[in-house]
Amino acid sequence: MTGRKPGAERLSLNQWTTRRWSVPEAVEGCRRHGIEAIGLWREPVAEHGLSATAELVRDAGLRVSSLCRGGFLTGDSWLRDNRRAVDEAAELGAACLVLVVGGLPGVVPGEPLSGFSRDLADARTRVAEALDALVPYAEERGVRLALEPLHPMYCADRAVLSTLKQALDLASPYPADRVGVVVDTFHIWWDPEALGQIARAGAEGRIASYQVCDQMHPLPADVLLGRAMMGDGVIDFAPLTAAVAAAGYDGDIEVEIFNADVWSADPDEVLATMKQRFADLIVPSLA
């Protein structure tokens, strides 16, 4: 017996939560804190080396709960990079490849507006057309794509998918084991249809990942960094987590936090707090 509460073994560290840790440091941190899964990001994986990362994670006995990220499908040069992302997810044995689908064509995160399109409907059409090309490639390599709807404040530059319903509608032409969705508390907690759409996602077998973090209030000037440790913001995790559990999702649950103060803190202290908050705020609703 490990002495863990039921569900605690499902905790996964999304690598961006401890952003200053390299891949080896994050893997060792998981081992040290008894965390059994990790969500990897492509940039630090590339820095350490894809094959080296796959071997390191495998030797540590960790599950790769996701690889982040592919996507940005609304631009003109997305295909090669996304095929590469699929190949990386396959080699890592990731449970899914998270797709952040992209914003309005020509709008670049963090850059001034110049030469862009305001045609939101066309941007969403581009995403659907891109999936038609990408899904067969992922299927051949045994990789599940996971569409992540983002909070509407990121619609212009990061994701023209803003609700779980939109993501499910976009996924619906494809087998559920090929295209799923990400349920991220930060991005969907505000949506009055969230609980019903989680139930729908469960009925369709489409929940590929459950990610948790809180939303800060007030938000910082850079809203990308508006995530917080569970319990330090405004989100009520109990109904969302209970809905995900009732929907039949029994996979890993990632804590993914973009927050300057969390990033500057001692990563070991972050993991200790993360484990305690997960036990207090997430695990009880999994039963």
Side-chain angles (χ1 to χ4, degrees):
M1 296 294 290
T2 63
R4 293 177 178 174
K5 297 178 181 179
E9 71 282 353
R10 295 170 62 185
L11 172 61
S12 175
L13 170 67
N14 184 285
Q15 193 175 4
W16 229 239
T17 300
T18 52
R19 185 177 178 180
R20 64 178 176 169
W21 266 352
S22 65
V23 167
E25 289 171 330
V27 168
E28 173 58 22
C30 286
R31 187 203 62 77
R32 193 163 56 246
H33 288 268
I35 296 170
E36 300 178 7
I38 188 168
L40 294 170
W41 277 68
R42 294 178 65 201
E43 295 87 349
V45 167
E47 184 175 340
H48 185 65
L50 178 61
S51 296
T53 298
E55 181 178 4
L56 181 68
V57 171
R58 184 171 57 248
D59 289 349
L62 296 179
R63 301 181 298 273
V64 179
S65 52
S66 73
L67 178 65
C68 198
R69 64 192 176 200
F72 288 86
L73 307 174
T74 56
D76 297 324
S77 57
W78 58 269
L79 184 56
R80 179 179 296 179
D81 183 64
N82 276 274
R83 285 180 170 175
R84 186 181 303 117
V86 167
D87 293 340
E88 293 165 7
E91 183 158 350
L92 292 167
C96 63
L97 172 64
V98 175
L99 296 183
V100 174
V101 300
L104 295 172
V107 178
V108 179
E111 295 187 9
L113 294 176
S114 176
F116 71 99
S117 169
R118 290 185 171 89
D119 192 338
L120 181 57
D122 176 68
R124 289 172 174 156
T125 298
R126 289 189 184 205
V127 174
E129 292 173 346
L131 282 179
D132 280 341
L134 188 59
V135 170
Y137 187 86
E139 185 171 14
E140 289 174 359
R141 287 149 183 81
V143 172
R144 190 183 196 190
L145 304 177
L147 298 170
E148 183 169 19
L150 268 57
H151 192 287
M153 62 187 168
Y154 303 118
C155 184
D157 63 350
R158 296 181 186 277
V160 293
L161 290 183
S162 301
T163 68
L164 198 52
K165 181 181 185 302
Q166 286 177 307
L168 288 167
D169 288 348
L170 190 61
S172 63
Y174 309 103
D177 62 348
R178 296 299 83 192
V179 182
V181 298
V182 180
V183 178
D184 185 316
T185 57
F186 179 82
H187 293 305
I188 70 161
W189 73 273
W190 59 272
D191 185 354
E193 296 186 355
L195 298 183
Q197 292 302 316
I198 290 171
R200 173 190 168 188
E204 296 178 5
R206 297 228 181 241
I207 302 179
S209 177
Y210 183 38
Q211 296 181 337
V212 297
C213 73
D214 221 325
Q215 179 178 309
M216 295 171 60
H217 183 79
L219 286 167
D222 184 352
V223 294
L224 186 64
L225 306 185
R227 293 170 174 251
M229 185 66 70
M230 298 83 72
D232 288 347
V234 298
I235 296 177
D236 184 1
F237 294 96
L240 294 168
T241 302
V244 169
Y249 179 72
D250 59 1
D252 294 316
I253 301 172
E254 291 185 14
V255 176
E256 182 187 54
I257 301 174
F258 293 29
N259 180 298
D261 290 336
V262 171
W263 288 345
S264 65
D266 181 340
D268 281 298
E269 293 181 2
V270 171
L271 262 62
T273 300
M274 181 180 79
K275 288 180 62 179
Q276 187 60 56
R277 300 289 180 86
F278 188 84
D280 291 344
L281 297 174
I282 305 301
V283 170
S285 298
L286 295 173

